[in-house]
C-alpha cells in the first residue's frame, strides 16, 4: 500500500475520542499529519487536548484542521454536543474513531464494583452513545466509517480482565449486528483488536493481586506502540469504498491469543 503523506484523507473530518493520551493521541496525530485530515480531539481533559492541538500545529497542521472538544462519552448530551459542534465547524463527519476506554485488572472475588461499573460505562455506554449520536448524520449522507478500538480481549476472555473482556465482547456483538443494519447506508465499521500496547492503561488498576498475577505487558517481550495501532487505523481508512476491513487483530509477535 502506498499512502502519499498528507493526501490520503485530505478533506475528511475525523472525530477521535480518547485523544488526550495513549492510542487515541497517536491516532489523532497520524490522521492529522500523515492523513492530512481535519481531526476533532475529544475526551474529558480539555487541557491535554489543547496541548495536543498546539503540538500538532507546531508540527505543521493548520489551526483550522484541529478542533479540541471536551466530551465525557458516558454523558449522552456531551456526545450529542460533540457531533453538533463538529457539524457547526466543518459541516460534515466522515470518520468516528471510538478509542476512549478504561481497563482495570480485577479479580472477581475481590468485588471491585466501582471499577466494574466504570469499565461498562465508558467501554459500552460510551461506544453506543457516540455511535447513536453520529449515525443520523452518516445515514443522511449515506457514507461514513466508524472504527472501534476494541481489544484481543474481545476475542478471548482474559483472567484478571473478566469485566473488561465482557465489555469488548459487547462491542464485537453490537457491531456485528450494526454492520448488517448499515449496509444500505454505505457505512463501514472496523474493529481494531490490539494486544498489549505501551500506554498508561494497565497502570490505572488498583487490584494489585490481579495485576501482579495477570498483567502480561511486563513479560519481557516487545509490546505494541500506540503508533502501530494508529497506522492500522490509517490503513483501514485508506481502503476503497467496496472493501470493508471488519476486524483487525493486531498483537505483539510474542503474544498471540
Ligand atoms: N493499551 C493497551 O494495551 C490496549 C488498549 N486498548 C484500548 O484502546 C483504548 C485506548 O486505551 P489506551 O490509549 O491504552 O489508554 P489510556 O489510558 O492511555 O487512554 C485512555 C483514553 O480514554 C479517555 N477516556 C477515558 N474515559 C473517558 C470518558 N469517560 N470520556 C471520554 N474519554 C475518556 C482518556 O481521556 P480523558 O481522561 O481525557 O477523558 C484517554 O484519552 C481503550 O479503549 C482500550 O481498551 C485495546 C487493547 C490494548
Ligand atoms: N490486550 C488487552 C488485554 O490484555 C488489552 O489491553 O486490551
Amino acid at each position: 500500500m502506498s499512502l502519499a503523506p498528507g493526501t490520503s484523507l485530505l478533506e475528511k473530518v475525523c472525530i477521535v475520542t480518547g485523544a488526550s493520551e495513549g492510542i487515541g493521541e497517536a491516532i489523532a496525530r497520524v490522521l492529522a499529519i500523515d492523513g492530512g485530515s481535519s481531526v476533532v480531539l475529544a475526551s474529558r481533559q480539555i487541557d491535554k487536548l489543547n496541548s495536543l492541538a498546539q503540538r500538532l500545529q507546531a508540527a505543521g497542521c493548520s489551526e483550522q484542521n484541529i478542533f479540541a472538544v471536551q466530551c465525557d462519552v458516558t454523558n449522552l448530551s456531551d456526545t450529542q454536543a460533540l457531533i453538533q459542534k463538529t457539524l457547526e465547524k466543518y459541516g460534515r463527519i466522515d470518520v468516528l474513531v471510538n478509542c476512549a476506554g478504561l481497563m482495570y485488572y480485577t479479580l472477581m472475588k475481590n468485588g471491585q464494583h466501582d471499577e466494574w461499573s466504570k469499565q461498562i460505562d465508558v467501554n459500552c455506554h460510551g461506544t453506543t452513545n457516540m455511535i447513536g449520536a453520529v449515525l443520523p448524520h452518516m445515514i443522511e449522507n449515506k457514507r461514513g466509517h466508524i472504527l472501534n478500538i476494541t481489544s484481543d480481549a474481545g476475542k478471548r476472555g482474559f483472567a484478571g480482565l473478566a469485566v473488561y473482556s465482557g465489555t469488548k465482547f459487547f462491542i464485537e456483538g453490537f457491531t456485528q449486528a450494526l454492520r448488517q443494519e448499515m449496509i444500505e447506508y454505505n457505512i463501514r465499521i472496523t474493529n481494531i483488536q490490539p494486544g498489549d500496547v505501551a500506554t498508561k492503561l494497565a497502570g490505572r488498576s488498583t487490584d494489585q493481586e490481579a495485576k501482579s498475577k495477570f498483567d502480561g505487558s511486563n513479560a519481557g517481550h516487545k509490546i505494541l506502540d500506540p503508533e502501530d495501532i494508529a497506522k492500522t487505523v490509517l490503513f483501514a481508512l485508506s481502503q476503497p469504498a467496496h472493501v470493508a476491513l471488519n476486524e483487525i487483530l493486531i498483537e505483539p509477535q510474542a503474544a498471540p491469543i
Side-chain angles (χ1 to χ4, degrees):
M1 180 194 57
S2 74
L3 289 173
T7 61
S8 58
L9 291 171
L10 216 59
E11 293 176 9
K12 298 224 167 178
V13 175
C14 309
I15 297 176
V16 181
T17 72
S20 60
E21 51 193 314
I23 297 172
E25 177 182 341
I27 293 169
R29 195 176 330 111
V30 164
L31 291 182
I33 294 176
D34 299 353
S37 53
S38 297
V39 179
V40 182
L41 312 171
S43 83
R44 294 165 304 175
Q45 301 183 78
I46 189 70
D47 290 351
K48 284 196 175 176
L49 299 178
N50 285 333
S51 146
L52 174 59
Q54 281 171 4
R55 279 178 279 133
L56 290 173
Q57 283 160 30
C61 298
S62 82
E63 195 180 340
Q64 168 65 15
N65 279 9
I66 307 296
F67 185 33
V69 180
Q70 187 168 36
C71 173
D72 178 342
V73 295
T74 68
N75 181 316
L76 183 59
S77 54
D78 267 20
T79 59
Q80 291 167 337
L82 169 62
I83 299 305
Q84 193 53 38
K85 286 175 190 168
T86 305
L87 289 174
E88 279 163 16
K89 185 168 174 76
Y90 295 113
R92 59 187 286 164
I93 299 168
D94 302 282
V95 174
L96 166 65
V97 182
N98 285 311
C99 187
L102 291 180
M103 177 185 84
Y104 297 112
Y105 279 96
T106 64
L107 294 174
M108 294 310 290
K109 72 179 176 70
N110 292 341
Q112 295 197 300
H113 296 265
D114 184 48
E115 292 187 350
W116 302 346
S117 292
K118 282 185 187 159
Q119 291 175 99
I120 294 167
D121 233 21
V122 177
N123 301 356
C124 300
H125 290 133
T127 303
T128 54
N129 284 346
M130 281 305 308
I131 290 178
V134 83
L135 274 187
H137 170 74
M138 289 185 171
I139 286 173
E140 189 183 340
N141 288 285
K142 287 208 162 194
R143 63 178 161 73
H145 198 152
I146 296 168
L147 295 98
N148 301 309
I149 309 304
T150 63
S151 173
D152 59 0
K155 303 284 287 181
R156 198 206 91 188
F158 283 81
L161 290 175
V163 173
Y164 179 76
S165 301
T167 66
K168 296 298 185 175
F169 270 77
F170 167 85
I171 298 174
E172 295 298 338
F174 164 67
T175 45
Q176 266 184 25
L178 183 63
R179 266 184 213 114
Q180 295 170 38
E181 292 183 26
M182 291 301 114
I183 293 170
E184 63 185 296
Y185 305 111
N186 301 315
I187 295 170
R188 290 179 285 181
I189 304 155
T190 301
N191 285 349
I192 296 180
Q193 303 153 335
D196 288 330
V197 184
T199 70
K200 294 181 184 157
L201 186 77
R204 305 187 196 286
S205 306
T206 60
D207 184 335
Q208 292 311 322
E209 184 189 2
K211 190 160 164 16
S212 61
K213 221 167 158 184
F214 293 116
D215 179 6
S217 60
N218 294 318
H221 57 259
K222 167 89 177 121
I223 62 172
L224 301 169
D225 294 317
E227 290 68 28
D228 297 321
I229 312 306
K231 286 179 191 153
T232 306
V233 167
L234 193 56
F235 176 72
L237 287 175
S238 304
Q239 301 306 309
H242 69 286
V243 176
L245 286 177
N246 293 334
E247 299 181 24
I248 304 177
L249 177 63
I250 167 170
E251 300 187 290
Q253 184 275 334
I257 52 175

